[in-house]
Amino acid sequence: MNQSIKLSVDAVVFGYEAGTISVLLIKRKYEPFKGKWAIPGGFVLNNEALEKAVERELKEETGVEINYLEQLYSFGNPNRDPRGRIVSIAYFGLVHPSAFKINASTDAEEVQWFKIDELPQLSFDHKDILKLAISRLQSKITYEPLGFELLDEKFPFSDLENLYTTLLGRPIDRRNFRKKFLKLNILDELDEKISKGSGRPANLFKFNQKRYFKLKQEGIIFDI
Amino acid sequence: MNQSIKLSVDAVVFGYEAGTISVLLIKRKYEPFKGKWAIPGGFVLNNEALEKAVERELKEETGVEINYLEQLYSFGNPNRDPRGRIVSIAYFGLVHPSAFKINASTDAEEVQWFKIDELPQLSFDHKDILKLAISRLQSKITYEPLGFELLDEKFPFSDLENLYTTLLGRPIDRRNFRKKFLKLNILDELDEKISKGSGRPANLFKFNQKRYFKLKQEGIIFDI
């Protein structure tokens, strides 16, 4: 077997905060695409599990430690990298940016969160990778409730609505959304209220992790 | 970069026929796992697109030509192959077995369809690959109607029910299923009937491809 293909991993890390989605990018220190923005990533070591490789590269280049990235897709177009044939296995995850301190190092000159509607030009085929990651994230939240780790521990229902509206990038039928979500029975309505702006005080909710994992195991379909 | 990882592709081909699901396996001609059954696959050529590689390997080993396999997942456990570090990108597809003539060659000694509940022992981590493929297939049909290419051009609704029951491996709420499916408006009810067994003649349906692709583009969620 005279194969000369190299294998890399890339980490698409989305951040959700205050009604906006951003993505973590690095500015490349070396050629190719020196000085251009890219998704963090790099080569897999010979005896390294793929998940370890993507966590290591992410940490080395951005200072961000995440151990729950999900595999997105493998990109293998023979011309995707000017250095030769490099197949990249992309991973993605969704976090709260303020929980992480970013810090460029190794082959990253800078690291920065970019709003996904204000992206710079990207290196390699990273625009395609990002596009697929966004579409996967959007389809995922339509059949599996997620994102609770991005909300406060206790939150008014409107925070959950905002999360979904932002992630989907489109308005939702609010009454229907609330009805369907509550029917899942994974939120506990608390005896506490919060006042925001001039509206009347809103009830607070808390995510019921136990019932959520039970539901997830049964194969929940959440149709919004 | 002193990387010595090799890259392969594997093809999980499911067959649906007469209420059973099967999978296409080959018996290995060479070590490792000589004489054992495995999912068809092999190494990617240096300048070959991943999709081309999986189609070529499938054709070489089984005689089956399919050009619409979908990427499933990349398997990269450092110990998955006794020959060294080999990362495999698995693809999957669903076909009508009788439409294909199987024919073992290259490094396959035999090729055979196996019912998925009567599988032989599998080589490498192919049991895990197959398990993930089945679960992906099942979750896919719950949020995206598919499988029409497996039915006759005109079919009674019960054929569609049987397809879903078989693929899901569990009974479905028939009345609800019919209601929800018809609501999607991608089936044309014909002015023709078919008699099967002793029941009263059933109306025939035809799949409306145009409306289906429109629905698919809009991002259909089909909750059964």
Side-chain angles (χ1 to χ4, degrees):
Chain A
M1 250 299 302
N2 195 11
Q3 198 193 56
S4 62
I5 302 173
K6 299 285 178 226
L7 192 68
S8 68
V9 281
D10 285 308
V12 181
V13 180
F14 291 114
Y16 172 80
E17 201 161 35
T20 61
I21 312 175
S22 51
V23 64
L24 191 62
L25 298 178
I26 57 134
K27 188 183 263 185
R28 292 178 57 84
K29 203 189 273 183
Y30 306 112
E31 294 292 352
F33 299 102
K34 187 183 169 184
K36 298 280 182 198
W37 292 95
I39 295 167
F43 291 104
V44 180
L45 302 178
N46 287 333
N47 291 303
E48 189 181 35
L50 302 174
E51 299 74 20
K52 290 291 168 205
V54 71
E55 288 166 24
R56 176 184 51 74
E57 284 289 344
L58 180 63
K59 192 185 165 196
E60 281 177 9
E61 293 191 344
T62 70
V64 168
E65 275 186 75
I66 305 180
N67 55 13
Y68 44 87
L69 294 170
E70 185 177 325
Q71 198 183 102
L72 172 68
Y73 197 78
S74 293
F75 292 80
N77 186 314
N79 306 313
R80 60 179 295 281
D81 196 309
R83 290 168 292 184
R85 183 77 191 275
I86 299 174
V87 171
S88 188
I89 307 183
Y91 285 76
F92 77 112
L94 177 62
V95 301
H96 211 306
S98 61
F100 297 91
K101 207 177 145 182
I102 57 178
N103 183 19
S105 59
T106 65
D107 51 342
E109 194 174 289
E110 280 182 53
V111 54
Q112 197 181 307
W113 290 100
F114 283 88
K115 291 186 183 171
I116 58 163
D117 49 7
E118 295 173 13
L119 292 175
Q121 220 194 327
L122 294 176
S123 312
F124 307 102
D125 56 355
H126 287 187
K127 196 179 160 190
D128 297 333
I129 297 181
L130 193 52
K131 202 175 154 188
L132 187 71
I134 292 169
S135 126
R136 183 77 65 88
L137 185 66
Q138 291 179 337
S139 72
K140 202 176 152 85
I141 61 167
T142 60
Y143 59 86
E144 178 180 302
L146 56 78
F148 294 105
E149 66 284 4
L150 305 175
L151 301 175
D152 296 335
E153 200 197 336
K154 300 170 184 182
F155 54 87
F157 198 84
S158 58
D159 279 8
L160 189 62
E161 277 172 9
N162 289 340
L163 172 67
Y164 266 76
T165 312
T166 306
L167 290 178
L168 291 173
R170 62 169 173 83
I172 51 176
D173 175 340
R174 290 178 58 204
R175 187 193 292 191
N176 223 346
F177 176 78
R178 187 182 176 107
K179 207 177 93 186
K180 286 192 175 183
F181 218 108
L182 293 181
K183 211 176 149 192
L184 292 175
N185 194 29
I186 56 175
L187 294 183
D188 291 332
E189 190 160 5
L190 306 174
D191 262 343
E192 292 175 54
K193 285 180 190 294
I194 190 173
S195 290
K196 269 193 174 180
S198 57
R200 60 191 176 105
N203 265 32
L204 285 175
F205 290 82
K206 201 175 163 174
F207 170 47
N208 189 310
Q209 205 152 347
K210 204 170 152 188
R211 285 204 301 272
Y212 172 60
F213 285 112
K214 189 167 172 288
L215 194 67
K216 208 174 161 179
Q217 278 186 327
E218 291 164 1
I220 159 73
I221 301 298
F222 174 55
D223 163 17
I224 56 169
Chain B
M1 251 298 302
N2 196 11
Q3 199 193 55
S4 62
I5 303 173
K6 300 286 177 224
L7 192 68
S8 68
V9 281
D10 285 309
V12 181
V13 180
F14 291 114
Y16 172 81
E17 201 162 35
T20 63
I21 313 175
S22 51
V23 64
L24 191 62
L25 299 177
I26 58 136
K27 187 183 264 184
R28 292 179 57 83
K29 203 189 274 183
Y30 306 111
E31 294 292 353
F33 299 102
K34 187 182 168 185
K36 298 281 181 197
W37 292 94
I39 295 166
F43 292 104
V44 180
L45 301 178
N46 287 333
N47 290 304
E48 187 181 35
L50 302 173
E51 298 75 20
K52 289 292 168 204
V54 71
E55 288 165 23
R56 176 184 52 73
E57 284 289 344
L58 180 64
K59 192 185 165 197
E60 281 177 9
E61 293 190 343
T62 70
V64 169
E65 275 186 75
I66 304 180
N67 55 13
Y68 46 86
L69 293 169
E70 187 177 324
Q71 197 183 102
L72 172 68
Y73 196 77
S74 293
F75 292 80
N77 186 315
N79 306 315
R80 60 180 296 280
D81 195 310
R83 290 168 292 184
R85 183 77 191 276
I86 299 175
V87 172
S88 188
I89 307 182
Y91 285 75
F92 77 114
L94 178 62
V95 301
H96 211 308
S98 62
F100 297 92
K101 207 178 145 183
I102 58 178
N103 183 19
S105 59
T106 65
D107 51 342
E109 194 173 289
E110 279 181 53
V111 54
Q112 196 180 307
W113 290 100
F114 283 87
K115 290 187 184 171
I116 58 163
D117 49 7
E118 295 173 10
L119 291 175
Q121 220 195 327
L122 294 176
S123 312
F124 307 103
D125 56 354
H126 287 187
K127 195 179 160 192
D128 297 333
I129 297 181
L130 193 53
K131 201 173 155 190
L132 188 70
I134 291 169
S135 125
R136 182 77 65 87
L137 185 66
Q138 290 179 337
S139 71
K140 202 176 152 83
I141 62 166
T142 61
Y143 58 87
E144 179 181 301
L146 56 78
F148 294 105
E149 66 284 2
L150 304 175
L151 301 174
D152 296 335
E153 200 198 335
K154 300 171 183 181
F155 53 88
F157 199 83
S158 58
D159 279 8
L160 189 62
E161 278 172 8
N162 289 342
L163 172 68
Y164 266 75
T165 312
T166 306
L167 291 178
L168 290 173
R170 61 170 173 83
I172 50 176
D173 175 339
R174 290 178 59 204
R175 188 193 291 190
N176 222 345
F177 177 77
R178 188 181 175 108
K179 207 178 93 186
K180 286 192 175 183
F181 219 108
L182 293 181
K183 211 177 149 192
L184 292 175
N185 194 29
I186 56 175
L187 294 183
D188 292 332
E189 189 160 4
L190 305 175
D191 262 344
E192 293 175 53
K193 286 179 189 294
I194 190 172
S195 290
K196 270 192 173 180
S198 58
R200 58 189 177 106
N203 265 31
L204 286 175
F205 290 83
K206 203 176 162 175
F207 170 46
N208 189 311
Q209 205 152 348
K210 203 171 152 187
R211 286 204 300 271
Y212 172 59
F213 284 112
K214 190 165 172 287
L215 194 67
K216 207 174 162 178
Q217 277 186 328
E218 290 164 3
I220 159 73
I221 302 297
F222 173 56
D223 164 16
I224 56 171

